[in-house]
Amino acid sequence: MNINLLDEQQLEKLRSLIAESEHIVICAHKSPDGDAVGSSLAWKAYLQQLGKTDVKVCLPDAFPDFLQWMPGTQEIVRYDKRPALVQQIFDNADLVCCLDFNQITRVDDMCTVLESCKAKRLLIDHHLEPDTNNELTLSFPKLSSTSELLFSLIWQMGGYEDMTKACAQCIYCGMMTDTGGFTYNSTRPEIYFIVSQLLSKRIDKDNIYNRVYHNYSSNAIKFRGHIICNKLNIVEELHAAYFAVTKEEMRQFKFIKGDLEGVVNIPQQIKGLKLSISLREDTEKPNLVLVSLRSGNGFHCQPMAVQFFNGGGHADASGGKLHCSIQEAEQIALNAILAFKDQLK
Ligand code: 5GP
Ligand code: MN
């Protein structure tokens, strides 16, 4: 199967960017998920395989606990914890690789560091509407994950033979998490060709699934039950559902990062549901509400994320944020649903 993505010119440019660079920094979006962390660590492993000795992964903030097992997480440098060190790494870099995000604002507070960085910039991503102000922009929104994209790049550059099991584990995890365990956005046959190649590296896919999805604390499971049982608002006639989670509830259920990952997908199990919206108070910043949207059954949530929630994302999985109280956010969500009523009916 031909999984090559780059034309000759892009391939040549990518090769020369890597060859010319000695100090490489890899970064990904705020609240990094399995794909952001997986693709970052896999790209680092590949660059090291090519003999690069100074490759660092810098992330804006914490990633969920259930990704801690991934090989290489110990060396990740977090901007929220060590801003001066991250600044220094960017200052020293001659190549910055931006993975799994389309616009530099997606790195949140780390944006100033990225913006002022003099190094050449390489963007590798699968979101719609990427920034193109880069030395090389490798944007493929058709792909299910940045990790899938990375595999194809490594494959096309002839790096598969030497790929380590650790690198394969990271790629698999990114592909798995961005498709909800291969349940959405995952019908392209190329995905399973790649999975078969990763399995040939002796990764244990069932074990990776368990580490990611069967890793909740009892508090987290109860919290999820509480949200579905007590907090879910369903607008039956518009096939839409939304819920809002407060800081107080997060305290009550001893919330840690990752506990609510994927809860927004649960209402989609309702027959015929077209839209699910999650609203969650930020644990640190006041008056900040984090928004996640999921869609299906012919409705696409991305325009709603742009129009109502200062965000964006993929056609059926988007996000954003609101600077208001959680009560106001609920009203905005309801307004958004009503504004799209013709498509949701
Ligand atoms: P999640 O709901 O999993 O946090 O995010 C779903 C998708 O929406 C992800 O692909 C993510 O990149 C995108 N997304 C989340 N938050 C934002 C945001 O604030 N702005 C934009 N443009 N995209 C976002
Ligand atoms: Mn992704």
Side-chain angles (χ1 to χ4, degrees):
M1 180 172 271
N2 182 2
I3 58 162
N4 294 346
L5 297 167
L6 307 188
D7 60 33
E8 276 306 316
Q9 207 182 347
Q10 288 172 314
L11 184 60
E12 205 34 59
K13 183 75 193 169
L14 181 58
R15 279 193 204 286
S16 66
L17 266 184
I18 296 171
E20 288 160 8
S21 307
E22 250 184 277
H23 308 287
I24 304 177
V25 53
I26 299 167
C27 61
H29 59 78
K30 182 188 155 65
S31 295
D33 55 10
D35 190 32
V37 179
S39 59
S40 296
L41 295 175
W43 191 233
K44 176 176 171 175
Y46 174 64
L47 292 170
Q48 287 177 327
Q49 180 186 315
L50 291 178
K52 302 292 167 185
T53 52
D54 183 15
V55 187
K56 296 198 173 68
V57 175
C58 295
L59 298 177
D61 57 355
F63 51 83
D65 257 22
F66 59 73
L67 297 176
Q68 198 72 52
W69 61 271
M70 290 170 92
T73 52
Q74 301 306 320
E75 286 90 54
I76 290 174
V77 188
R78 274 171 54 185
Y79 181 72
D80 62 336
K81 286 246 163 120
R82 310 186 70 183
L85 178 58
V86 170
Q87 179 77 57
Q88 191 190 332
I89 292 169
F90 274 79
D91 286 346
N92 284 338
D94 41 27
L95 178 64
V96 176
C97 306
C98 299
L99 268 55
D100 200 36
F101 65 94
N102 50 352
Q103 322 246 311
I104 59 171
T105 50
R106 293 281 290 124
V107 300
D108 211 51
D109 294 344
M110 209 167 83
C111 190
T112 47
V113 181
L114 184 53
E115 230 166 4
S116 63
C117 182
K118 301 277 188 299
K120 289 177 185 160
R121 200 186 298 161
L122 162 65
L123 184 123
I124 304 178
D125 181 48
H126 71 128
H127 293 90
L128 300 162
E129 296 159 12
D131 275 342
T132 49
N133 184 23
N134 309 297
E135 192 74 16
L136 181 61
T137 303
L138 301 176
S139 165
F140 295 89
K142 251 197 235 156
L143 302 193
S144 65
S145 60
T146 301
S147 297
E148 182 196 342
L149 168 46
L150 268 195
F151 182 91
S152 298
L153 297 184
I154 296 171
W155 180 268
Q156 192 172 359
M157 289 196 291
Y160 174 72
E161 258 341 281
D162 294 333
M163 181 183 283
T164 59
K165 180 178 174 181
C167 179
Q169 286 173 317
C170 293
I171 291 177
Y172 184 82
C173 183
M175 291 178 68
M176 179 187 80
T177 51
D178 257 24
T179 57
F182 304 99
T183 61
Y184 49 78
N185 208 5
S186 54
T187 38
R188 293 172 36 264
E190 289 84 353
I191 291 174
Y192 303 94
F193 172 78
I194 294 173
V195 168
S196 75
Q197 298 303 325
L198 293 172
L199 291 170
S200 300
K201 294 288 178 185
R202 304 253 167 261
I203 65 164
D204 184 342
K205 74 179 244 318
D206 299 346
N207 180 261
I208 293 176
Y209 186 94
N210 284 333
R211 282 175 190 240
V212 171
Y213 292 115
H214 295 176
N215 195 25
Y216 295 114
S217 65
S218 45
N219 276 317
I221 277 291
K222 287 180 185 171
F223 197 3
R224 296 163 85 88
H226 163 73
I227 291 168
I228 298 305
C229 184
N230 304 318
K231 304 300 300 282
L232 191 64
N233 303 290
I234 303 176
V235 188
E236 294 279 358
E237 62 283 12
L238 297 183
H239 311 103
Y242 65 98
F243 60 84
V245 183
T246 64
K247 265 194 275 207
E248 179 46 39
E249 287 166 312
M250 286 187 252
R251 262 193 297 276
Q252 191 188 335
F253 288 93
K254 300 188 169 54
F255 171 86
I256 57 162
K257 197 140 187 166
D259 278 358
L260 295 183
E261 195 88 12
V263 188
V264 66
N265 299 319
I266 299 176
Q268 288 194 288
Q269 294 172 24
I270 299 168
K271 189 174 180 181
L273 199 93
K274 294 186 175 180
L275 172 68
S276 170
I277 306 177
S278 152
L279 307 164
R280 176 160 73 78
E281 279 188 297
D282 189 76
T283 46
E284 269 123 58
K285 294 181 185 154
N287 256 20
L288 176 63
V289 175
L290 308 174
V291 186
S292 284
L293 300 101
R294 297 292 183 272
S295 56
N297 290 311
F299 179 76
H300 301 301
C301 60
Q302 197 262 356
M304 181 184 278
V306 175
Q307 208 177 315
F308 281 87
F309 300 107
N310 309 303
H314 309 285
D316 290 322
S318 304
K321 48 178 172 286
L322 292 170
H323 298 275
C324 63
S325 70
I326 191 79
Q327 292 79 12
E328 287 165 317
E330 277 201 80
Q331 192 54 53
I332 292 170
L334 190 54
N335 292 346
I337 291 169
L338 295 174
F340 280 79
K341 67 176 188 308
D342 292 342
Q343 294 173 50
L344 287 166
K345 260 197 297 235

